[in-house]
């Protein structure tokens, strides 16, 4: 019997020995790369840099549509949709911290910053055959990190600055910095450094030294344009930094000088930038989120308008729109476009409706009376936004064809057209410059810039000797018309210190029989609400770490 | 209770009679007495001893149960046999003696991990169920049979879809993210589910409930272990059995939604109100044209919340009053008035057939079986077919060496899985589809040549659409295991096992969309699509287990030592999908050469699976002194590949002890003849839960592209310290037996503390991601289980037995991450605003919503509130008006915000008490059994209310019938519960959708008759079984209070598949 026990012990011992190998139990997922040892070569670092850019599409919708255009007086959202819809909650300032898009936006930018910091932490040690390429990569990443901090600061106000990879414990202790500090201490130094490191677009290169000019990556001009926007922001409400104006002027002049080629010569050319041809859009846009294929298409297409599932509009139903998102061009803006036959508006930015097709019923557009410029006007209050949808007529007009069947038929893909989304446009810079001309009493120069744009569009030009007040009104209006649906207007309203007045004016204008529309509560327009609330997901993750913004 | 007393009295009188007879016995001349000993099933008992008590006079029964003995007439004989309760009878001629099986089951063994023990020696909490409760109920899933049978094992049919997984919880749920499903061990091989097992092959199911018993399964033991043992051949001639059933399912319950006329009436009223809201100067007598003109509409608005234009044809179905109040232009054409529920859920057939052959000789035991089940679901194009084969063979090579093979292939064809359960599925659309469609269209809306009814939504579809788009999945599962067992010397056994489980699934979905939604305009096949996904996986096990069991006098020692290596998740999965197809006829072949068009490849993915590796060593030592004192201890060490590099290995110890007080001399001599069993048990153990994702411990990069160029960014943020969830569990129990153990009672009290919960911990996003998986937090489950088994009446012609069990379980969050303050909460689950939270000191997953209080009925009521509080009541900043919902304003600022400021705990998804009771009756050849199940103390969130029970839904949807009593105006206030159908001041989801999940069900009633056969057929029985005979509940927004179909959410029902009442006729024959 003793012998048998010895046998058992031997078997058991052998079995236990087999386990001693720790490596046997190391089994990382076989379908993914591990970050260990990545980021060491120029090629890998380029993938890393593009990985930072690749974080932009997820941010695009909340940053530039939901929390910008939707909050501005460019848009009228249905205050009373059939269900709780984020667009309506945001537009009528019924936001609360648990609104999921708040968390998406905040986390999206910080995820971009993390990936930027990962590249920055590794790039210095990596081997590059050409130091210029290393500098360019670094410059691109600094530009993106600056963009992230800037958007966070002007959207949420006081936010944490993250300039290196944080440990879990650091991340639980890092507090908010005042918005002005975020911009002055992080955004501007990053952009200035990027501006120094980056070449102009023509000289932008990939890891192998070949040109990447067509990829729409951030170049020196983009850094200058963003610096101009940053200083214009500092100059306005709520920062009111008087010293920013001189810097803004410097950068605006540089952009206008360096970027003259970005001004599309004709309206026909201008329209091409909003179509599916990346080369055409990058030709006229200083910096844009690239949507090179439908798998990475424009996320605004689906959300911007009510359903236009109709064969008359697109040759197939490759834009079903989101019937639940009831967002319409604001009525007086609609009127401004339509009454001037502005080619940018009807048919290009929006449609008034569509006819019945087969048994699909016609779109029920609604004509309503509004007050505009002191008179009563009748205009459509529920036009359909199509700026990010290259409908068949638009494709015919611009000659830029696209085979929509390549998008597939699943709801997720067929509403994502490969249209770039511009962040920085030359016209934006021109009109910012015009603002400063008006401020400085040089109305003629200001109107010159405005008229350059209006002339191209074929709409009546402004008189050169307008009063300063009128001139400023024209500049502001032109910004709305030219940059409609690009997420610019809301931050203009804030910069001008007019967001409360503008919002209330629109709500007033939509009254029925002297009463606000259902669920419109002017009491929600409160001081401080130009900043969004800090998301509940963040305040929950680190209780007590962040201070909630005033007004929420 | 009355029955127990009567049993007691009977037994007492029987005892008195016996004693009297013994005392009064007088010598008499010996005569031959003869008879037959049978068991309660009428089967002869072989080898039963028939003795004159106190003497050596006696015989044993022969192979037919017959005996013959010469004793004086009137002599009291004692008839006894192992496994049966001894009986005293008075000698007579041609006696027929029925022995009852010993309810105490003295020699009954219970399978525990890597071995078995006598039930009386058990020191831990193990519940056993034999195949009695399984065989009469034709079930797609054997797990369903556990419902209501075992205390502490709760089974919920969360979806009544054919073949769907039931939810099994052993002693509550503790894990937040690592899963709460028990481990299944089928014939010694660990598995993740019982899918594919033929219920007819099962001999017994044991559930290891406490940590002392499940700790031997270490890192997988925390959620309990379900051990399934399949049938083996029994010694004797080959036994051939057939069992077959045929059944019919019908809808158990109908949901209360508007009828066609109610819907039209509601729609018109809604449109009138909306029109006047938008155009206060209007009048409801304005016709469609006028309404459009007044509002500046270029086309009619018929659907959505803004609908103002009715169908002129409705009025002919409505009352004179409604007709008189409106202006309409009826063209006289008839509409189709529909009842979608009756149409969609037509009675469904099912059948099953099983044949088995089993037997054994001295060298070989064998069992072969073939099973077939074909079950149609109530919903069209939903069915489940299963074919099972099983071979269990074991053969003795020589005196000490045995080999065996278990081979169990199963093949399943499942049609339409998931298409009839949940949001936006048929189950949803059947209830939300308006009950009206165009002239002559009937149910064929949106199907060629019909388009959508202009007032209806896109959910209205005929059955044929679901048939055209149903996924068909073919699953093959092969469980194979082989063993070599050596018994080199007495009491010692060593067994080496190798097993492999192969699983293959092919799912094909051809969505023939040509005939729907005007797609015919584009041509056949163009809008159709085909998706094909394949998956296979292999799990393997190598295991060596040695057992030693020896009795030295009064000492019994049992030891077990083993080691195993499991390599799992070996395999690949693929998904392909195509569009732009040539036609709708060729549905499975897309080679490019069989059509004129080239199908568009929409996606084509291949993914390799990441292996899982589990290495284990385990042992157990048990000691038993004189069947009075028992102790047992076990230890397991597991190493697992999915854990972080710093935490690959864990230890899982357990210890338990038992004291059989009733075997103590003092108890036996205590004169308590009616009290047979008293046993105390206590156990403690530690178990683990290893259920985490493959990337939780490892960092990865995600590949993407930007500007058509390869891009990489951080994917998962690994945590190399990640380890097991640990559960520490105590169990204290008492087992009692009275009146010859005809009354048996077990009471278990337990606590189960789970620490180091695997949890997606939110981190501030500045870290770079929003959550990381970490071991944080702890949860306590504690509860009481009572199992009571009684033999109420037991005589030759009539027996009645009862099994009753009740489980009480409560859980409580003890700690959450770093956050230890009592009262703080974390919203862990929020989907479409169906919120569930974790709070320290409270149960898990409480519902956290606005508390709905009814309607603001009048302006006076609002004014009164203002006068009382000085606050203007608001909802999200907008002042409420009469007809708006009234919510509890938690923060007391007058404004109800639909967020954490005003949300509050409104319910708990876990029931406090779960009951089960089975009564079995037998009278002559007739038998009956009835199973009751019930639960109480929990809530269910009818998330489906979001789709069918909210204001402002417009007319595109149907609505729950109780909107008949909605508030319409101060003069038409309804029942004060449902608000104005046009109000917008209602939350998406609030406590109005919460209902008590209490229910009482007659889960099963079976009536059987044993056909008396001689010779060729040894036994035959026919029976009628009714599943879900009756339910008493108060849940309004769904078919079953057990439903739960929102992924990982607990107790949220969003349009669950309707439960069926099934009538089955069955036949069992043994040859």
């Amino acid at each position: 019997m003793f012998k048998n026990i010895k046998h058992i012990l031997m078997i058991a011992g052998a079995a236990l020995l087999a386990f001693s190998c720790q490596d046997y139990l190391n089994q990382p997922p076989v379908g993914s790369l591990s970050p260990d040892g990545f980021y060491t070569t120029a090629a890998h670092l380029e993938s890393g840099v593009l990985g930072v850019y690749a974080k932009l599409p997820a941010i695009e919708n909340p940053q530039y549509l939901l929390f910008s255009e939707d909050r501005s007086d460019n848009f009228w959202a249905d205050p009373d949709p059939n269900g709780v819809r984020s667009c309506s909650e945001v537009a009528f300032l019924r936001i609360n911290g648990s609104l999921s898009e708040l968390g998406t936006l905040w986390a999206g930018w910080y995820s971009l910053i993390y990936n930027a910091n990962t590249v920055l932490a590794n790039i210095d040690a990596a081997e590059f055959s050409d130091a210029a390429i290393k500098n360019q990569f670094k410059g691109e990443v600094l530009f993106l990190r600056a963009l992230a901090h800037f958007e966070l600061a002007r959207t949420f106000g006081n936010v944490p600055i993250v300039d290196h990879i944080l440990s879990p414990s650091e991340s639980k202790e890092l507090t908010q910095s005042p918005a002005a500090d975020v911009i002055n201490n992080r955004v501007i130094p990053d952009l200035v450094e990027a501006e120094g490191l980056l070449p102009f677009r023509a000289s932008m290169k990939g890891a192998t030294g070949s040109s990447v000019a067509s990829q729409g990556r951030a170049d020196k001009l983009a850094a200058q344009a963003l610096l101009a926007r940053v200083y214009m922001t500092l100059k306005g409400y709520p920062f009111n930094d008087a010293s920013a104006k001189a810097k803004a002027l410097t950068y605006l002049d540089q952009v206008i000088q360096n970027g003259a080629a970005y001004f599309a010569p004709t309206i026909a050319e201008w329209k091409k930038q909003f179509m599916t041809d990346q080369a055409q859009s990058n030709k006229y846009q200083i910096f844009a989120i690239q949507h090179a294929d439908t798998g990475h298409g424009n996320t605004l297409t689906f959300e911007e308008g009510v359903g236009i599932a109709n064969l008359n509009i697109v040759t197939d139903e490759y834009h079903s729109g989101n019937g639940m998102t009831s967002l319409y061009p604001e009525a007086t803006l609609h009127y401004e476009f339509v009454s001037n036959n502005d080619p940018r508006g009807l048919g290009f930015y929006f449609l008034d409706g569509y006819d019945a097709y087969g048994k699909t019923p016609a779109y029920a557009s609604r004509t309503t009376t509004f007050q505009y410029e002191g008179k009563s006007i009748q205009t459509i209050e529920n036009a359909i936004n199509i700026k990010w949808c290259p409908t068949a007529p638009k494709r015919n007009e611009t000659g830029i064809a696209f085979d929509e069947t390549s998008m597939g038929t699943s709801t997720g893909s067929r509403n994502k057209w490969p249209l770039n989304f511009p962040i920085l446009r030359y016209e934006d810079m021109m009109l910012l410059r015009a603002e400063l001309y008006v401020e400085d009493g040089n109305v003629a120069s200001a109107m010159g810039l405005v008229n350059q744009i209006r002339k191209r569009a074929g709409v009546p030009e402004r008189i050169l000797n307008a009063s300063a007040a009128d001139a400023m009104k024209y500049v502001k209006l032109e910004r709305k018309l030219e940059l409609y649906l690009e997420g610019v207007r809301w931050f203009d309203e804030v910069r001008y210190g007019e967001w409360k007045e503008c919002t209330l004016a629109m709500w007033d204008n939509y009254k029925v029989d002297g009463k606000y529309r259902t669920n419109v509560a002017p009491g929600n327009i409160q001081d401080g609400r130009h900043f969004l609330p800090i998301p509940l997901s963040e305040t929950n993750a680190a209780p007590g770490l962040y201070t909630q913004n005033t007004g929420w | 209770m009355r029955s127990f007393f009567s049993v007691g009295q009977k037994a007492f009188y029987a005892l008195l009679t016996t004693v009297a007879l013994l005392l009064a016995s007088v010598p008499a001349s010996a005569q031959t007495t003869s008879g037959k000993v049978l068991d309660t099933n009428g089967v002869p008992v072989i080898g039963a001893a028939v003795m004159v008590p106190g003497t050596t006079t006696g015989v044993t029964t022969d192979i037919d149960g017959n005996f013959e003995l010469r004793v004086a007439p009137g002599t009291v004989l004692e008839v006894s046999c192992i496994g049966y309760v001894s009986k005293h009878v008075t000698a007579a001629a041609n006696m027929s003696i029925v022995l009852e099986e010993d309810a105490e089951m003295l020699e009954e063994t219970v399978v525990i991990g890597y071995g078995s023990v006598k039930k009386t020696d058990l020191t831990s909490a193990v519940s056993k169920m034999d195949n009695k409760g399984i065989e009469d109920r034709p079930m797609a899933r054997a797990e369903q049979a556990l419902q209501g049978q075992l205390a502490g094992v709760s089974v919920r049919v969360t979806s009544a879809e054919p073949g769907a997984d039931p939810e099994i919880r052993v002693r509550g749920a503790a894990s937040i993210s690592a899963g709460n499903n028990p481990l299944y061990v089928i014939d010694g091989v660990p598995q993740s589910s019982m899918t594919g097992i033929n219920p007819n092959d099962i001999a017994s199911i044991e559930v290891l409930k406490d940590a002392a018993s499940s700790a031997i399964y270490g890192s997988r033991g925390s959620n309990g272990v379900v051990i399934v043992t399949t049938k083996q051949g029994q010694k004797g001639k080959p036994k051939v059995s057939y069992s077959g059933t045929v059944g019919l399912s019908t809808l158990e319950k109908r949901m209360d939604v508007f009828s066609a006329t109610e819907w039209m009436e509601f729609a018109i009223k809604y449109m009138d109100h909306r029109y006047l809201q938008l155009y206060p100067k209007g009048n409801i007598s304005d016709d469609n044209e006028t309404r459009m003109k007044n509002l500046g509409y270029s086309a009619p608005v018929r659907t959505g919340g803004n609908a103002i234009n009715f169908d002129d044809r409705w009025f002919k179905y409505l009352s004179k009053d409604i007709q008189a109040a409106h202006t309409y232009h009826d063209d006289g054409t008839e509409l189709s008035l529909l009842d979608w529920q009756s149409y969609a859920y037509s009675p469904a057939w099912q059948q099953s057939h099983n044949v088995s052959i089993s037997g054994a000789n001295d060298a070989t035991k064998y069992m072969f079986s073939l099973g077939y089940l074909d079950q149609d679901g109530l919903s069209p194009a939903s069915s489940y077919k299963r074919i099972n084969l099983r071979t269990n063979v074991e053969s003795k090579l020589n005196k000490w060496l045995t080999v065996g093979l278990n081979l169990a292939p199963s093949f399943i064809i499942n049609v339409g899985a998931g298409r009839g359960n949940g949001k936006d599925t048929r189950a949803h659309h059947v209830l939300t589809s308006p009950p009206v469609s165009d002239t002559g269209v009937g149910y064929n809306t949106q199907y060629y040549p019909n388009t959508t009814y202009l007032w209806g939504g896109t959910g209205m579809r005929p059955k044929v659409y679901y048939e055209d788009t149903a996924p068909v999945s073919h699953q093959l599962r092969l469980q194979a295991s082989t063993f070599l067992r050596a018994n080199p010397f007495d009491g010692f056994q060593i067994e080496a096992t190798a097993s492999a489980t192969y699983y293959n699934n092919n799912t094909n979905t051809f969505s023939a969309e040509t005939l729907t939604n005007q797609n015919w305009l584009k041509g056949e096949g163009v809008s159709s699509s085909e998706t094909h996904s394949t998956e296979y996986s292999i799990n393997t096990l190598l295991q060596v287990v040695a057992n030693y069991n020896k009795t030295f006098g009064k000492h019994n020692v049992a030891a077990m030592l083993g080691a195993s290596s499991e390599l799992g998740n070996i395999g690949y999965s693929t998904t392909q999908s195509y569009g732009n197809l040539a036609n709708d006829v060729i549905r499975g072949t897309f080679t490019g050469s069989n059509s004129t068009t080239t199908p568009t490849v929409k996606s084509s993915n291949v993914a390799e699976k990441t292996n899982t590796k589990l290495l284990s060593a385990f042992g157990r030592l048990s000691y038993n002194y004189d069947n009075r004192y028992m102790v047992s201890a076990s230890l397991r060490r597991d190493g697992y590949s999915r854990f972080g590099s710093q935490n690959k290995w864990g230890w899982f110890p357990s210890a338990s002890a038992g004291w059989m007080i009733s075997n103590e001399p003092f108890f036996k001599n205590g004169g308590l003849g009616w009290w047979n069993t008293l046993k105390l048990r206590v156990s403690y153990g530690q178990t683990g839960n290893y259920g985490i994702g493959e990337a939780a411990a490892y960092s990865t990069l995600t590949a993407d592209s930007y500007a058509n160029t390869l891009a990489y960014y951080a994917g998962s943020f690994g945590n190399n310290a990640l380890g097991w969830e640990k559960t520490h569990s105590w169990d204290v129990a008492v087992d009692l037996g009275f009146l010859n153990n005809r009354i048996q009672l077990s009471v278990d009290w337990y606590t189960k503390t789970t620490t180091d919960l695997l949890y997606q911990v939110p981190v501030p996003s500045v870290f770079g991601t929003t959550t990381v998986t970490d071991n944080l937090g702890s949860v306590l489950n504690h509860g009481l289980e009572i199992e009571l088994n009684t033999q109420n009446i037991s005589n030759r012609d009539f027996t009645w037995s009862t099994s009753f069990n009740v489980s009480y379980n409560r859980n409580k969050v003890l700690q959450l991450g770093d956050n230890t303050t009592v009262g703080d909460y974390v919203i862990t689950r929020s989907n479409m605003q169906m919120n569930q939270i974790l709070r320290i000191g409270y149960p898990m997953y409480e519902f956290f919503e606005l508390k709905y209080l009814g309607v603001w009925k009048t302006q006076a009521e609002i004014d009164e509130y203002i006068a009382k509080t000085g606050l203007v009541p608001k909802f999200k900043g907008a002042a409420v008006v009469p007809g708006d919902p009234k919510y509890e304003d938690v923060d007391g600022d007058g404004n109800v915000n639909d967020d954490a400021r005003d949300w509050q705990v409104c319910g708990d998804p876990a029931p406090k008490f779960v009951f089960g009771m089975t009564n079995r009756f037998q009278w002559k050849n007739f038998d009956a059994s009835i199973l009751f199940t019930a639960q109480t103390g929990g809530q269910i969130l009818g998330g489906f209310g979001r789709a069918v029970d909210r204001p402002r839904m417009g007319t595109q949807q149907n609505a729950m019938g109780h909107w008949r009593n909605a508030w319409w105006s101060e003069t038409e206030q309804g029942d004060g519960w449902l608000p104005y159908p046009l109000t917008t001041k209602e939350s998406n989801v609030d406590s109005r959708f919460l209902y008590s999940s209490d229910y009482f069900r007659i889960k099963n009633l079976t009536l059987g008759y044993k056909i008396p056969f001689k010779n060729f057929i040894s036994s035959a029985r026919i029976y009628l079984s009714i599943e879900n005979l009756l339910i008493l509940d108060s849940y309004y927004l769904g078919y079953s209070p057990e439903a739960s179909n929102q992924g990982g959410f607990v107790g949220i029902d969003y349009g669950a598949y309707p439960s069926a009442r099934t009538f089955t006729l069955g036949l069992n024959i043994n040859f």
Side-chain angles (χ1 to χ4, degrees), chain B residues 251-257 339-342 1039:
Chain B
L251 206 55
E252 186 188 19
K253 166 181 171 182
R254 259 182 74 94
M255 295 269 284
D256 171 33
V257 289
D339 174 357
W340 287 96
Q341 277 187 97
S342 299
Y1039 288 102

Side-chain angles (χ1 to χ4, degrees), chain B residues 1-12 738-739 742-743 788-794 798-804 917-921:
Chain B
M1 286 310 280
R2 173 168 299 172
S3 62
F4 305 150
F5 285 122
S6 66
V7 171
Q9 283 167 359
K10 271 191 182 144
F12 182 68
F738 306 103
L739 302 176
R742 282 174 64 165
I743 300 172
L788 176 67
N789 291 301
T790 59
Q791 291 279 340
N792 308 333
I793 296 176
S794 175
F798 187 67
T799 61
W800 170 30
S801 64
T802 303
S803 300
F804 171 78
M917 180 162 146
T918 308
N919 278 290
R920 291 177 198 280
F921 305 90

Side-chain angles (χ1 to χ4, degrees), chain A residues 4 8 19 22 24-25 27 30 33 47 80 89 96 115 215 290 296 359 364-367 409 519 538, chain B residues 295-299 451 489 492 610 613 616 641 648 698 701 704 706 709 712 714 765 876 899 952 984:
Chain A
N4 287 305
I8 302 164
F19 306 161
Q22 184 80 13
Y24 175 76
L25 291 179
Q27 181 59 70
V30 292
L33 276 183
S47 293
D80 182 15
E89 300 299 291
N96 67 59
N115 284 285
Q215 288 185 3
Q290 304 289 302
H296 300 83
K359 288 189 178 177
S365 55
R366 183 177 182 190
T367 307
T409 51
N519 279 354
E538 299 300 323
Chain B
L295 286 170
Y297 285 161
S298 64
T451 49
F489 56 91
F492 179 76
T610 301
K613 298 167 182 173
S616 318
S641 60
K648 292 281 186 201
Y698 299 94
L701 292 176
D704 201 339
Y706 186 77
T709 315
Y712 279 106
S765 298
K876 288 206 238 176
D899 62 27
R952 290 287 281 139
T984 49

Side-chain angles (χ1 to χ4, degrees), chain A residues 1 4-5 8-9 11-12 15-16 18-35 38-39 46-57 78 80-85 89 94-98 103 106-107 110-111 114-115 160 162 166-168 171-172 174 215-217 287-290 292-293 296 311 316-317 357-368 382 405 408-410 512-513 518-521 524 536-538 540-543 545-546 552, chain B residues 274 277-278 280-281 295-302 304-306 449-451 454 488-489 492 494 518-519 521-522 527 529 544 546 548 561 563-567 600 602 608-617 637 639-645 648-649 694-695 698-701 704-714 717 761-770 818-819 824-827 833 876-878 898-901 903 946 950 952-953 956 982 984-988:
Chain A
M1 187 174 136
N4 287 305
I5 288 173
I8 302 164
L9 289 175
I11 293 165
L16 282 168
F19 306 161
S20 55
C21 186
Q22 184 80 13
D23 283 351
Y24 175 76
L25 291 179
N26 186 38
Q27 181 59 70
V30 292
S32 316
L33 276 183
S34 164
F38 198 74
Y39 303 114
E46 187 176 23
S47 293
V49 172
L50 285 157
V52 184
Y53 283 104
K55 286 282 166 184
L56 290 169
D78 187 346
D80 182 15
N82 59 338
V84 177
R85 308 283 171 226
E89 300 299 291
R94 302 193 291 253
I95 309 171
N96 67 59
S98 68
W106 176 287
Y110 280 109
S111 169
Y114 171 84
N115 284 285
V162 182
L166 301 178
S167 69
S171 69
K172 283 176 192 151
L174 182 68
Q215 288 185 3
R217 287 157 66 165
F287 180 67
I289 299 177
Q290 304 289 302
D293 59 85
H296 300 83
L311 311 188
D316 208 334
E317 74 270 35
Y357 177 85
K359 288 189 178 177
T360 302
Y363 182 75
S365 55
R366 183 177 182 190
T367 307
T368 313
N382 60 345
T405 59
T409 51
S410 73
V512 176
D513 288 340
T518 314
N519 279 354
V520 175
N524 287 346
L536 187 69
S537 49
E538 299 300 323
N540 264 354
L545 183 64
Y546 302 130
W552 297 108
Chain B
R274 186 61 181 159
Q277 229 176 33
L278 293 170
K281 285 175 282 189
L295 286 170
Y297 285 161
S298 64
V301 182
R302 307 177 179 101
N306 287 321
N450 306 313
T451 49
L454 290 174
F489 56 91
F492 179 76
I494 183 162
Q518 296 180 78
N519 285 330
L521 294 170
K522 284 183 270 172
S527 322
S529 63
V544 179
Y548 181 70
L561 190 63
S564 71
S565 167
E566 287 176 59
L567 182 59
T600 319
K602 293 195 292 182
E608 185 183 355
K609 295 182 173 181
T610 301
N611 294 350
T612 57
K613 298 167 182 173
L614 179 70
L615 296 176
S616 318
R637 182 149 172 78
Y640 186 52
S641 60
R642 286 198 175 169
F643 287 95
S645 54
K648 292 281 186 201
W649 290 90
E694 62 180 41
Y698 299 94
S699 298
T700 61
L701 292 176
D704 201 339
S705 90
Y706 186 77
N708 276 329
T709 315
L710 183 65
Y712 279 106
Y713 46 74
F717 283 60
V761 187
V763 288
S765 298
V766 292
F767 178 60
T769 187
T770 50
D818 297 339
N819 171 357
D824 277 350
Y825 67 89
V826 182
I827 296 184
Q833 218 164 301
K876 288 206 238 176
D898 197 3
D899 62 27
R901 283 172 284 181
W903 287 337
R946 220 181 144 271
R950 257 174 42 210
R952 290 287 281 139
M953 300 294 287
Q956 225 165 322
L982 278 83
T984 49
K985 299 192 198 77
E986 183 172 89
S987 166
N988 242 356

